[in-house]
Amino acid sequence: MTDKASPQEQAEILMQALPHMLRYDEAIVVVKYGGHAMGDEKVAREFARDMVLLEQSGVNPVVVHGGGPQIGAMLSKLGIKSEFAAGLRITDKATVEIVEMVLAGSINKQIVGFINSEGGRAIGLCGKDGNMVLAEKMTRTVVDPDSNIEKIVDLGFVGEPKKVDTTVLDQVLGRELIPVLAPVAQGADGETYNVNADTFAGAIAGALKAKRLLFLTDVPGVLDKNKQLIKELTVAQIHDLIADGTITGGMIPKVETCIYAIEMGVEGVVILDGKTPHAVLVELLTDHGAGTLIKR
């Protein structure tokens, strides 16, 4: 561990951040926070402090969080069995109640509490608040391996964002408040829907015309064939990398969500490692940057 920076060095570091602060002054930055970055309290508190520092330096951060592991833990604690189809949890009535309780309740308020205890003013909301996100039921088709016939899987109360109304967020942003959003929304049918947090973040960032959408994941970013980090990509390059097999597996839906967000109006989307200390600050406020930046 090195000794603490001298006052002169600290001032020098702040000066290096100035051009970046100016670039993001009053800009909206949506941060999708999830994965293992959420499970560790020390990391969660560091994340909260980063959000407060961004807000104090003139950025308007919006946090969207997931909570898959915590939902799974609560369901097993309550003895509610989940069925999966095509790798997606089928969400019945009993399950969606627990999903809402965990996401919009315990996790949301825990993040709000962490930000507040670091000196910020966070406000916890979900897609239902002020009709922020209207969801529609999501359908998935899977190919039956035996007969090769496509069939539609009913995922229950799993939705995707159909319409975003930013009225509530417009009232909150720019007033020293940090919105923390849980990806639960209502459908036109009045039912509650569980929305994938990445997709939810993409829809929110697009509607707000955010300057940046940051996905904090468990990987450093998009890697090339030699497992080296690719610093910057265009949408066209992503299509090429999927076609030639460089981008595979769970990274495909991630980059597809990035493309969706850019098409919705976000200026740039970054996939970065949430386990890296202060990853968000390194990305936004230093020359170094972190992760992979995706632009049009």
Side-chain angles (χ1 to χ4, degrees):
M1 193 66 189
T2 53
D3 292 329
K4 219 172 153 64
S6 72
Q8 276 70 29
E9 286 166 337
Q10 287 181 20
E12 188 56 43
I13 291 165
L14 287 170
M15 287 312 297
Q16 287 170 12
L18 179 63
H20 304 282
M21 287 177 174
L22 291 171
R23 191 200 317 166
Y24 289 103
D25 190 36
E26 294 189 10
I28 295 171
V29 174
V30 177
V31 184
K32 156 58 180 43
Y33 174 56
H36 300 300
M38 278 174 62
D40 179 332
E41 182 171 328
K42 181 176 170 289
V43 179
R45 287 190 182 279
E46 275 189 358
F47 170 79
R49 193 175 300 166
D50 289 357
M51 292 304 106
V52 176
L53 189 126
L54 279 186
E55 198 280 314
Q56 287 297 316
S57 66
V59 181
N60 289 315
V62 177
V63 178
V64 176
H65 63 84
Q70 292 93 327
I71 291 167
M74 183 57 83
L75 289 170
S76 61
K77 196 168 165 184
L78 297 172
I80 297 170
K81 291 264 184 288
S82 278
E83 281 185 59
F84 286 83
L88 294 161
R89 188 195 302 274
I90 295 175
T91 307
D92 59 14
K93 198 81 171 168
T95 305
V96 82
E97 282 181 13
I98 305 306
V99 167
E100 184 168 32
M101 181 174 97
V102 173
L103 286 177
S106 54
I107 294 178
N108 188 273
K109 294 301 175 252
Q110 184 185 41
I111 297 168
V112 165
F114 284 159
I115 292 173
N116 293 348
S117 66
E118 293 299 338
R121 286 200 191 92
I123 174 168
L125 300 163
C126 76
K128 289 182 173 182
D129 290 298
N131 283 335
M132 191 190 306
V133 177
L134 183 71
E136 63 181 348
K137 188 179 169 73
M138 187 168 92
T139 52
R140 273 281 184 270
T141 54
V142 291
V143 178
D144 181 42
D146 302 328
S147 63
N148 232 0
I149 296 170
E150 271 200 359
K151 58 177 186 188
I152 290 176
V153 183
D154 186 350
L155 294 169
F157 296 98
V158 176
E160 40 198 0
K162 183 177 166 61
K163 188 163 160 274
V164 179
D165 180 337
T166 60
T167 306
V168 173
L169 293 173
D170 294 340
Q171 300 296 320
V172 169
L173 292 170
R175 294 172 190 255
E176 298 191 7
L177 295 167
I178 301 173
V180 177
L181 312 180
V184 175
Q186 203 160 8
D189 53 8
E191 298 286 3
T192 299
Y193 286 93
N194 177 17
V195 179
N196 173 288
D198 287 356
T199 315
F200 190 95
I204 291 287
L208 290 171
K209 298 285 181 269
K211 193 171 181 75
R212 285 286 181 273
L213 166 58
L214 308 182
F215 283 114
L216 295 185
T217 62
D218 298 332
V219 293
V222 180
L223 306 178
D224 65 17
K225 285 260 199 271
N226 304 319
K227 299 280 173 268
Q228 295 301 306
L229 179 70
I230 304 171
K231 284 289 217 183
E232 208 164 307
L233 282 172
T234 64
V235 171
Q237 287 170 324
I238 287 175
H239 290 307
D240 294 342
L241 291 176
I242 293 173
D244 77 9
T246 305
I247 296 177
T248 56
M251 188 50 87
I252 294 177
K254 274 262 186 292
V255 294
E256 283 175 343
T257 308
C258 296
I259 293 170
Y260 161 77
I262 286 165
E263 284 169 353
M264 299 296 277
V266 179
E267 189 184 297
V269 186
V270 186
I271 297 175
L272 64 166
D273 190 345
K275 298 191 296 295
T276 307
H278 309 298
V280 173
L281 301 185
V282 172
E283 170 56 35
L284 296 176
L285 300 181
T286 73
D287 296 338
H288 179 77
T292 303
L293 170 64
I294 297 163
K295 298 184 92 165
R296 196 173 276 293

